[in-house]
PDB file of all heavy atoms in Angstrom:
ATOM      1  N   ARG A  11       3.923  10.407  -9.736  1.00 73.00           N
ATOM      2  CA  ARG A  11       3.291  10.624 -11.039  1.00 73.00           C
ATOM      3  C   ARG A  11       1.770  10.550 -10.907  1.00 73.00           C
ATOM      4  O   ARG A  11       1.138   9.640 -11.439  1.00 73.00           O
ATOM      5  CB  ARG A  11       3.780   9.575 -12.040  1.00 73.00           C
ATOM      6  CG  ARG A  11       5.270   9.628 -12.332  1.00 73.00           C
ATOM      7  CD  ARG A  11       5.643   8.618 -13.420  1.00 73.00           C
ATOM      8  NE  ARG A  11       5.428   7.250 -12.972  1.00 73.00           N
ATOM      9  CZ  ARG A  11       5.535   6.176 -13.776  1.00 73.00           C
ATOM     10  NH1 ARG A  11       5.805   6.350 -15.054  1.00 73.00           N
ATOM     11  NH2 ARG A  11       5.346   4.964 -13.298  1.00 73.00           N
ATOM     12  N   PRO A  12       1.181  11.520 -10.207  1.00 75.00           N
ATOM     13  CA  PRO A  12      -0.268  11.446  -9.963  1.00 75.00           C
ATOM     14  C   PRO A  12      -1.097  11.506 -11.237  1.00 75.00           C
ATOM     15  O   PRO A  12      -2.090  10.790 -11.365  1.00 75.00           O
ATOM     16  CB  PRO A  12      -0.536  12.664  -9.061  1.00 75.00           C
ATOM     17  CG  PRO A  12       0.610  13.589  -9.303  1.00 75.00           C
ATOM     18  CD  PRO A  12       1.792  12.708  -9.584  1.00 75.00           C
ATOM     19  N   GLN A  13      -0.717  12.360 -12.201  1.00 79.00           N
ATOM     20  CA  GLN A  13      -1.498  12.477 -13.430  1.00 79.00           C
ATOM     21  C   GLN A  13      -1.438  11.197 -14.250  1.00 79.00           C
ATOM     22  O   GLN A  13      -2.412  10.835 -14.915  1.00 79.00           O
ATOM     23  CB  GLN A  13      -1.018  13.671 -14.255  1.00 79.00           C
ATOM     24  CG  GLN A  13      -1.356  15.011 -13.624  1.00 79.00           C
ATOM     25  CD  GLN A  13      -1.041  16.179 -14.529  1.00 79.00           C
ATOM     26  OE1 GLN A  13      -0.256  16.048 -15.464  1.00 79.00           O
ATOM     27  NE2 GLN A  13      -1.648  17.318 -14.274  1.00 79.00           N
ATOM     28  N   PHE A  14      -0.312  10.501 -14.214  1.00 85.00           N
ATOM     29  CA  PHE A  14      -0.187   9.241 -14.940  1.00 85.00           C
ATOM     30  C   PHE A  14      -1.184   8.220 -14.407  1.00 85.00           C
ATOM     31  O   PHE A  14      -1.853   7.519 -15.179  1.00 85.00           O
ATOM     32  CB  PHE A  14       1.241   8.705 -14.804  1.00 85.00           C
ATOM     33  CG  PHE A  14       1.434   7.312 -15.338  1.00 85.00           C
ATOM     34  CD1 PHE A  14       1.545   7.094 -16.701  1.00 85.00           C
ATOM     35  CD2 PHE A  14       1.501   6.227 -14.473  1.00 85.00           C
ATOM     36  CE1 PHE A  14       1.708   5.809 -17.201  1.00 85.00           C
ATOM     37  CE2 PHE A  14       1.674   4.939 -14.959  1.00 85.00           C
ATOM     38  CZ  PHE A  14       1.779   4.734 -16.332  1.00 85.00           C
ATOM     39  N   TYR A  15      -1.321   8.151 -13.080  1.00 86.00           N
ATOM     40  CA  TYR A  15      -2.241   7.189 -12.488  1.00 86.00           C
ATOM     41  C   TYR A  15      -3.693   7.621 -12.665  1.00 86.00           C
ATOM     42  O   TYR A  15      -4.595   6.770 -12.767  1.00 86.00           O
ATOM     43  CB  TYR A  15      -1.897   6.968 -11.020  1.00 86.00           C
ATOM     44  CG  TYR A  15      -0.670   6.116 -10.849  1.00 86.00           C
ATOM     45  CD1 TYR A  15       0.586   6.679 -10.671  1.00 86.00           C
ATOM     46  CD2 TYR A  15      -0.761   4.730 -10.914  1.00 86.00           C
ATOM     47  CE1 TYR A  15       1.722   5.894 -10.549  1.00 86.00           C
ATOM     48  CE2 TYR A  15       0.365   3.931 -10.783  1.00 86.00           C
ATOM     49  CZ  TYR A  15       1.602   4.526 -10.602  1.00 86.00           C
ATOM     50  OH  TYR A  15       2.717   3.729 -10.486  1.00 86.00           O
ATOM     51  N   GLU A  16      -3.960   8.923 -12.676  1.00 87.00           N
ATOM     52  CA  GLU A  16      -5.299   9.397 -13.017  1.00 87.00           C
ATOM     53  C   GLU A  16      -5.681   8.925 -14.416  1.00 87.00           C
ATOM     54  O   GLU A  16      -6.790   8.417 -14.638  1.00 87.00           O
ATOM     55  CB  GLU A  16      -5.340  10.930 -12.987  1.00 87.00           C
ATOM     56  CG  GLU A  16      -5.296  11.552 -11.618  1.00 87.00           C
ATOM     57  CD  GLU A  16      -5.198  13.053 -11.673  1.00 87.00           C
ATOM     58  OE1 GLU A  16      -5.315  13.617 -12.779  1.00 87.00           O
ATOM     59  OE2 GLU A  16      -4.977  13.663 -10.620  1.00 87.00           O
ATOM     60  N   LEU A  17      -4.738   9.088 -15.336  1.00 90.00           N
ATOM     61  CA  LEU A  17      -4.976   8.689 -16.722  1.00 90.00           C
ATOM     62  C   LEU A  17      -5.172   7.175 -16.830  1.00 90.00           C
ATOM     63  O   LEU A  17      -6.073   6.711 -17.533  1.00 90.00           O
ATOM     64  CB  LEU A  17      -3.806   9.146 -17.599  1.00 90.00           C
ATOM     65  CG  LEU A  17      -3.992   9.058 -19.120  1.00 90.00           C
ATOM     66  CD1 LEU A  17      -5.187   9.886 -19.559  1.00 90.00           C
ATOM     67  CD2 LEU A  17      -2.730   9.544 -19.829  1.00 90.00           C
ATOM     68  N   CYS A  18      -4.347   6.409 -16.129  1.00 91.00           N
ATOM     69  CA  CYS A  18      -4.480   4.943 -16.149  1.00 91.00           C
ATOM     70  C   CYS A  18      -5.837   4.508 -15.615  1.00 91.00           C
ATOM     71  O   CYS A  18      -6.466   3.584 -16.163  1.00 91.00           O
ATOM     72  CB  CYS A  18      -3.364   4.303 -15.327  1.00 91.00           C
ATOM     73  SG  CYS A  18      -1.744   4.354 -16.108  1.00 91.00           S
ATOM     74  N   PHE A  19      -6.299   5.156 -14.555  1.00 91.00           N
ATOM     75  CA  PHE A  19      -7.599   4.822 -13.974  1.00 91.00           C
ATOM     76  C   PHE A  19      -8.713   5.064 -14.981  1.00 91.00           C
ATOM     77  O   PHE A  19      -9.601   4.212 -15.165  1.00 91.00           O
ATOM     78  CB  PHE A  19      -7.830   5.663 -12.717  1.00 91.00           C
ATOM     79  CG  PHE A  19      -9.155   5.409 -12.053  1.00 91.00           C
ATOM     80  CD1 PHE A  19      -9.305   4.353 -11.174  1.00 91.00           C
ATOM     81  CD2 PHE A  19     -10.241   6.232 -12.302  1.00 91.00           C
ATOM     82  CE1 PHE A  19     -10.532   4.111 -10.560  1.00 91.00           C
ATOM     83  CE2 PHE A  19     -11.465   5.996 -11.698  1.00 91.00           C
ATOM     84  CZ  PHE A  19     -11.607   4.936 -10.818  1.00 91.00           C
ATOM     85  N   LEU A  20      -8.674   6.214 -15.664  1.00 94.00           N
ATOM     86  CA  LEU A  20      -9.714   6.541 -16.630  1.00 94.00           C
ATOM     87  C   LEU A  20      -9.634   5.654 -17.867  1.00 94.00           C
ATOM     88  O   LEU A  20     -10.664   5.275 -18.427  1.00 94.00           O
ATOM     89  CB  LEU A  20      -9.600   8.022 -17.020  1.00 94.00           C
ATOM     90  CG  LEU A  20     -10.015   9.013 -15.931  1.00 94.00           C
ATOM     91  CD1 LEU A  20      -9.662  10.438 -16.323  1.00 94.00           C
ATOM     92  CD2 LEU A  20     -11.514   8.908 -15.648  1.00 94.00           C
ATOM     93  N   ILE A  21      -8.415   5.318 -18.304  1.00 94.00           N
ATOM     94  CA  ILE A  21      -8.252   4.415 -19.445  1.00 94.00           C
ATOM     95  C   ILE A  21      -8.849   3.047 -19.119  1.00 94.00           C
ATOM     96  O   ILE A  21      -9.569   2.454 -19.933  1.00 94.00           O
ATOM     97  CB  ILE A  21      -6.766   4.274 -19.832  1.00 94.00           C
ATOM     98  CG1 ILE A  21      -6.264   5.574 -20.473  1.00 94.00           C
ATOM     99  CG2 ILE A  21      -6.559   3.116 -20.812  1.00 94.00           C
ATOM    100  CD1 ILE A  21      -4.771   5.595 -20.719  1.00 94.00           C
ATOM    101  N   GLY A  22      -8.563   2.551 -17.924  1.00 95.00           N
ATOM    102  CA  GLY A  22      -9.112   1.272 -17.501  1.00 95.00           C
ATOM    103  C   GLY A  22     -10.629   1.303 -17.485  1.00 95.00           C
ATOM    104  O   GLY A  22     -11.294   0.365 -17.962  1.00 95.00           O
ATOM    105  N   TYR A  23     -11.197   2.388 -16.941  1.00 94.00           N
ATOM    106  CA  TYR A  23     -12.655   2.514 -16.905  1.00 94.00           C
ATOM    107  C   TYR A  23     -13.240   2.524 -18.310  1.00 94.00           C
ATOM    108  O   TYR A  23     -14.230   1.821 -18.589  1.00 94.00           O
ATOM    109  CB  TYR A  23     -13.069   3.797 -16.176  1.00 94.00           C
ATOM    110  CG  TYR A  23     -14.512   4.148 -16.420  1.00 94.00           C
ATOM    111  CD1 TYR A  23     -15.530   3.509 -15.714  1.00 94.00           C
ATOM    112  CD2 TYR A  23     -14.849   5.090 -17.401  1.00 94.00           C
ATOM    113  CE1 TYR A  23     -16.858   3.809 -15.962  1.00 94.00           C
ATOM    114  CE2 TYR A  23     -16.183   5.392 -17.654  1.00 94.00           C
ATOM    115  CZ  TYR A  23     -17.181   4.747 -16.941  1.00 94.00           C
ATOM    116  OH  TYR A  23     -18.494   5.036 -17.203  1.00 94.00           O
ATOM    117  N   LEU A  24     -12.642   3.301 -19.226  1.00 95.00           N
ATOM    118  CA  LEU A  24     -13.174   3.424 -20.586  1.00 95.00           C
ATOM    119  C   LEU A  24     -13.195   2.083 -21.315  1.00 95.00           C
ATOM    120  O   LEU A  24     -14.185   1.734 -21.969  1.00 95.00           O
ATOM    121  CB  LEU A  24     -12.357   4.449 -21.382  1.00 95.00           C
ATOM    122  CG  LEU A  24     -12.646   5.918 -21.074  1.00 95.00           C
ATOM    123  CD1 LEU A  24     -11.581   6.819 -21.694  1.00 95.00           C
ATOM    124  CD2 LEU A  24     -14.032   6.307 -21.568  1.00 95.00           C
ATOM    125  N   PHE A  25     -12.114   1.340 -21.201  1.00 95.00           N
ATOM    126  CA  PHE A  25     -12.060   0.081 -21.930  1.00 95.00           C
ATOM    127  C   PHE A  25     -12.998  -0.970 -21.316  1.00 95.00           C
ATOM    128  O   PHE A  25     -13.607  -1.756 -22.045  1.00 95.00           O
ATOM    129  CB  PHE A  25     -10.625  -0.435 -22.008  1.00 95.00           C
ATOM    130  CG  PHE A  25      -9.863   0.154 -23.159  1.00 95.00           C
ATOM    131  CD1 PHE A  25      -8.894   1.120 -22.948  1.00 95.00           C
ATOM    132  CD2 PHE A  25     -10.139  -0.234 -24.455  1.00 95.00           C
ATOM    133  CE1 PHE A  25      -8.207   1.680 -24.015  1.00 95.00           C
ATOM    134  CE2 PHE A  25      -9.463   0.324 -25.526  1.00 95.00           C
ATOM    135  CZ  PHE A  25      -8.490   1.277 -25.310  1.00 95.00           C
ATOM    136  N   ILE A  26     -13.141  -0.982 -19.996  1.00 96.00           N
ATOM    137  CA  ILE A  26     -14.097  -1.903 -19.372  1.00 96.00           C
ATOM    138  C   ILE A  26     -15.527  -1.524 -19.766  1.00 96.00           C
ATOM    139  O   ILE A  26     -16.324  -2.378 -20.188  1.00 96.00           O
ATOM    140  CB  ILE A  26     -13.935  -1.894 -17.840  1.00 96.00           C
ATOM    141  CG1 ILE A  26     -12.584  -2.498 -17.442  1.00 96.00           C
ATOM    142  CG2 ILE A  26     -15.081  -2.648 -17.171  1.00 96.00           C
ATOM    143  CD1 ILE A  26     -12.267  -2.356 -15.972  1.00 96.00           C
TER     144      ILE A  26
END
Side-chain angles (χ1 to χ4, degrees):
R11 297 184 295 172
Q13 290 188 340
F14 171 78
Y15 285 95
E16 287 174 8
L17 191 59
C18 287
F19 179 84
L20 289 171
I21 289 172
Y23 165 80
L24 283 168
F25 275 106
I26 293 172

